């Protein structure tokens, strides 16, 4: 068993390296900053603290800025993502990076959940995903030809096709002088590992280390050579990205090799009832080292639902000013949850699943607000066309689906309105006002689809319009919607909520997605990782845990693992 963390013995035996195992809700970020990073900065030392995501690195900077009374940007070179640090160490190479939406180094770090499952992608001929996996999982192959590296996953005809795809992609990343001008994220890591400059620091701290790939671990090992002390923070029980190449087992090898390790022993988030369930889940994992921890003082509650009664808890939390996370194992599961929330008229933010009604950029809100104004301006008119348009939009009737008929009504209604529609109003509405203007001169079929539907579908707009009527204004609606968030269990890492609804109706197959060269994971490893994913979902709650079970006779997320929860709603 790993010994408990002792703040009076921060570096046991004055060792140069230390692993901190932090179970859910134990305050890993607070501990890293207050016990290790800030004391070094107070003493005038140098720190390099890295995390995988920009959100996590941003939290480190924000807290440090508040502590030292300065701007977060002052810590960008010390508290950053692994990719940003790799970029800094490669600047001496004169890299030219194309800063656009698709390839900019400033964009959000790679969302592993957004990639296809590794071997399923390879099997389906997704050579881009396969190439990414090869480079992340087998860093020792750097320098070999793409064909030799790709042979890890492809062979035969697939190997030739994969090589052709990769060579075309690589060709587009070099200029006429043979210089790399547009490296992707993995290229930056490879360059930093091979040719990156050194940087002497007093402390190297690595957060969320269970999610690092072998390539990222190799880079961390190189940086550690220039650090007086190395702090590694993570939790093997929350390693849920093995399917995409992450090496979560490295932390267990650290402990089994007898290297110094400590665990945080108290959760400030997870209540006792959810804690008991989470422990029963994670103990089913076959290959793990137990790092027990105590729950919070709150008892909380765990309830099981077999029908739509579960969504009342989300609405209750929303109306009471609390927060609710709706978690599913799959994107399709999120879509099912979104459909249920829409049927009940509960405003929410769908980060996964479709339709994504309320968008973060506020576009659907602007369109719906302008639509309400539009309809309001047409009400005084005696036009039958305007009335038919209002009725069609309000009832979401057949004309809303028949875009040609809707277009005809809208064109006629606009022409009969008192006063012109300003360009500013059309632009604010989210409509493509150029297309709107052109259609008056040369009406064309499909203008409604071209102007609006690719950016926000009509049903979504009407749902937002209905919510705006209920809540009175957009600010109140968005405040309520942000309290109910639909996301996958993978996307919930690092989050917490007063109420967590685990929609367990959808599960994933528990056998490997094999390809010609084998599998990144065995069947047992896939089962273990799925259990850890459920463990992550259960431990997001601060109070109530609501579990929606499947009722169609097929094994749901809990059923595939034989997990029984006695509490019923």
């Amino acid at each position: 068993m790993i010994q408990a963390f002792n703040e009076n013995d921060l570096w046991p035996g004055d060792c140069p390296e230390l692993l901190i195992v932090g179970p859910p809700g134990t305050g890993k970020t607070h501990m890293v900053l207050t016990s290790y990073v800030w004391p070094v900065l107070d003493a005038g030392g140098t720190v390099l603290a890295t995390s995988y995501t920009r959100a996590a690195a941003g939290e480190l900077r924000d807290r440090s800025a508040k502590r030292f009374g300065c701007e977060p940007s002052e810590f960008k070179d010390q508290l950053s993502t692994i990719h940003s640090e790799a970029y800094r160490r490669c600047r001496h190479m004169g890299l030219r990076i194309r800063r656009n939406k698709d390839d900019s180094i400033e964009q959000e770090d790679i969302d592993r959940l957004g990639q296809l499952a590794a071997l399923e992608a390879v099997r389906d001929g997704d050579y881009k995903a396969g190439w990414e996996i090869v480079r992340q999982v087998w860093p020792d192959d750097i320098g070999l030809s793409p064909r030799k590296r790709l042979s890890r996953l492809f062979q035969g005809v697939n190997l030739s096709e994969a090589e052709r795809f990769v060579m075309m992609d690589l060709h587009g990343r070099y200029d006429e002088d043979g210089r790399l001008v547009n490296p992707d994220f993995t290229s930056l890591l490879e360059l930093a590992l091979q040719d990156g400059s050194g940087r002497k620091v007093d402390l190297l701290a690595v957060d969320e280390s269970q999610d690092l790939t072998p390539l990222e671990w190799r880079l961390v090992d190189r940086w550690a050579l220039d650090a007086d002390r190395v702090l590694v923070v993570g939790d093997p029980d929350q390693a849920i990205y093995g399917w995409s190449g992450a090496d979560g087992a490295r932390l267990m090898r650290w402990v089994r090799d007898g290297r110094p390790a400590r665990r945080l022993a108290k959760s400030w988030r997870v209540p006792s009832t959810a804690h008991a369930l989470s422990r029963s889940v994670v103990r089913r994992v076959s290959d793990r080292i137990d790092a027990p921890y105590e729950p919070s003082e709150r008892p909380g509650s765990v309830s099981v639902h077999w029908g739509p009664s579960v969504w009342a808890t989300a609405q209750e939390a929303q109306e009471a000013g609390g927060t609710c996370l709706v978690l599913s194992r799959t994107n399709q599961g999120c879509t099912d949850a979104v459909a249920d929330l829409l049927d009940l008229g509960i405003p929410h933010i769908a980060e996964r699943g479709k339709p994504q009604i309320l968008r973060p950029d506020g576009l659907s809100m602007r369109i719906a607000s302008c639509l309400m104004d539009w309809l309001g301006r047409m009400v005084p008119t005696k036009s039958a066309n305007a009335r038919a348009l209002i009725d069609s939009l309000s009832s979401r009737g057949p004309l809303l689906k028949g875009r040609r008929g809707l277009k005809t009504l809208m064109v006629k209604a606009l022409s009969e309105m008192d006063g012109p529609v300003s360009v500013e109003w059309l632009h604010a509405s989210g409509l493509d006002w150029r297309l709107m203007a052109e259609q008056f001169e040369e009406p064309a079929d499909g203008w409604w689809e071209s102007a609006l539907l690719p950016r926000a579908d009509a049903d979504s707009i009407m749902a937002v319009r209905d919510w705006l009527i209920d809540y009175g204004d957009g600010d109140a609606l968005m405040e309520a919607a942000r309290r109910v968030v639909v996301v996958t269990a993978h996307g919930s890492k690092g989050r917490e909520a007063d109420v967590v609804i685990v929609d367990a109706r959808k599960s994933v197959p528990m056998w490997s997605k094999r390809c010609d060269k084998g599998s990144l994971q065995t069947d047992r490893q896939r089962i273990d990782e799925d259990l850890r994913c459920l463990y992550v979902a259960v431990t997001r709650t601060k109070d109530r845990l609501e579990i929606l079970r499947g009722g169609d006779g097929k094994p749901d997320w809990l059923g595939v693992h034989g997990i029984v929860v006695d509490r019923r709603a």
Side-chain angles (χ1 to χ4, degrees), residues 311-312 314-315 318 340-348 467 471 484:
W311 305 117
Q315 193 165 25
Q318 187 179 67
D340 291 343
L341 291 170
L342 287 176
D343 287 343
L344 296 173
I346 300 175
H348 60 277
W467 286 338
Y471 282 84
V484 179

Side-chain angles (χ1 to χ4, degrees), residues 275-321:
H275 176 269
L277 175 59
S278 70
R279 295 289 291 170
S280 68
V281 170
V282 79
R283 282 173 177 161
R284 294 171 180 260
V285 176
S286 61
D287 184 22
R288 64 182 297 269
I289 298 174
D290 195 34
Y293 68 105
E294 298 298 321
S296 70
E297 274 41 350
R298 296 183 301 275
S301 65
V302 176
S303 300
V304 177
H305 303 256
W306 295 87
S309 62
V310 68
W311 305 117
T313 61
Q315 193 165 25
E316 290 170 6
Q318 187 179 67
E319 294 174 350

Side-chain angles (χ1 to χ4, degrees), residues 143-144 147 317 330 386:
L144 298 180
R147 185 176 186 85
T330 65

Side-chain angles (χ1 to χ4, degrees), residues 234-273:
D235 183 8
D237 287 337
Q238 297 186 67
I240 58 176
Y241 291 108
W243 56 266
S244 65
D247 185 10
R250 172 153 174 169
L251 300 187
M252 292 189 290
R253 294 196 296 271
W254 179 301
V255 176
R256 287 167 178 161
D257 290 343
R259 299 164 71 180
R262 295 291 183 267
R263 62 178 171 83
L264 300 179
K266 172 72 173 180
S267 177
W268 306 101
R269 175 177 71 219
V270 185
S272 58
T273 49

Side-chain angles (χ1 to χ4, degrees), residues 34-318:
T34 59
S35 298
Y36 294 95
V37 172
W38 291 346
V40 174
L41 295 177
D42 283 332
T46 55
V47 172
L48 172 58
T50 66
S51 183
Y52 187 79
T53 64
R54 291 178 64 188
E59 184 177 3
L60 293 175
R61 289 193 293 268
D62 291 342
R63 293 193 188 188
S64 296
K66 185 176 181 180
R67 161 70 166 74
F68 290 97
C70 60
E71 292 297 321
S73 59
E74 295 188 25
F75 294 99
K76 66 179 181 179
D77 292 337
Q78 294 180 299
L79 312 175
S80 68
T81 65
I82 290 178
H83 295 88
S84 294
E85 178 61 20
Y87 179 44
R88 276 190 289 273
R89 298 198 182 207
C90 291
R91 283 176 179 169
H92 69 283
M93 303 176 66
L95 292 178
R96 290 186 292 147
I97 294 180
R98 187 183 308 141
R99 297 181 181 276
N100 57 39
K101 182 177 180 181
D102 296 327
D103 299 304
S104 171
I105 192 61
E106 302 296 335
Q107 77 178 52
E108 184 65 43
D109 290 332
I110 300 170
D111 180 4
R112 287 192 176 111
L113 184 60
Q115 301 176 17
L116 294 174
L119 297 175
E120 184 174 8
V122 171
R123 182 192 63 183
D124 294 340
D126 190 338
Y127 305 124
K128 181 178 181 181
W131 178 236
E132 175 74 16
I133 292 158
V134 165
R135 293 193 293 167
Q136 290 283 349
V137 176
W138 293 287
D140 291 339
D141 291 350
I142 293 177
L144 298 180
S145 68
R147 185 176 186 85
K148 289 184 177 180
R149 302 188 72 181
L150 287 166
S151 65
R152 295 276 195 174
L153 290 178
F154 299 91
Q155 66 179 10
V157 176
N158 283 347
L159 176 58
S160 299
E161 293 178 357
E163 181 188 22
R164 189 179 304 110
F165 172 87
V166 169
M167 293 306 295
M168 290 178 61
D169 180 68
L170 291 177
H171 179 73
R173 296 185 180 277
Y174 289 84
D175 63 12
E176 61 278 3
D177 298 324
R179 291 190 304 167
L180 184 63
V181 297
N182 191 33
D184 58 9
F185 286 108
T186 305
S187 295
L188 279 174
L189 300 184
E190 292 176 335
L191 287 170
L193 181 60
Q194 294 178 286
D195 303 305
S197 61
R199 178 182 175 189
K200 184 69 175 178
V201 295
D202 296 307
L203 173 67
L204 170 63
V206 183
D207 194 15
E208 297 293 346
S209 58
Q210 75 278 351
D211 294 334
L212 300 186
T213 65
L215 173 60
E216 291 157 352
W217 271 118
R218 284 284 300 276
L219 198 57
V220 167
D221 289 339
R222 173 166 178 171
W223 295 346
L225 296 176
D226 297 322
D228 292 339
R229 286 182 172 178
V230 178
L231 177 69
V232 176
V233 185
D235 183 8
D237 287 337
Q238 297 186 67
I240 58 176
Y241 291 108
W243 56 266
S244 65
D247 185 10
R250 172 153 174 169
L251 300 187
M252 292 189 290
R253 294 196 296 271
W254 179 301
V255 176
R256 287 167 178 161
D257 290 343
R259 299 164 71 180
R262 295 291 183 267
R263 62 178 171 83
L264 300 179
K266 172 72 173 180
S267 177
W268 306 101
R269 175 177 71 219
V270 185
S272 58
T273 49
H275 176 269
L277 175 59
S278 70
R279 295 289 291 170
S280 68
V281 170
V282 79
R283 282 173 177 161
R284 294 171 180 260
V285 176
S286 61
D287 184 22
R288 64 182 297 269
I289 298 174
D290 195 34
Y293 68 105
E294 298 298 321
S296 70
E297 274 41 350
R298 296 183 301 275
S301 65
V302 176
S303 300
V304 177
H305 303 256
W306 295 87
S309 62
V310 68
W311 305 117
T313 61
Q315 193 165 25
E316 290 170 6
Q318 187 179 67

Side-chain angles (χ1 to χ4, degrees), residues 338-388:
V338 166
D340 291 343
L341 291 170
L342 287 176
D343 287 343
L344 296 173
I346 300 175
H348 60 277
I349 301 294
E351 295 185 10
R352 291 286 174 176
K354 295 180 179 180
Q356 295 176 331
I357 301 294
L358 289 172
R359 295 172 41 155
D361 61 7
L363 175 62
S364 53
M365 185 76 71
R366 295 200 309 272
I367 296 176
S369 298
C370 288
L371 179 60
M372 291 175 65
D373 176 59
W374 195 349
L375 298 181
R377 292 173 64 184
M378 286 193 290
V379 167
T381 71
K382 304 301 182 181
S383 165
N385 293 316
R387 175 54 57 188

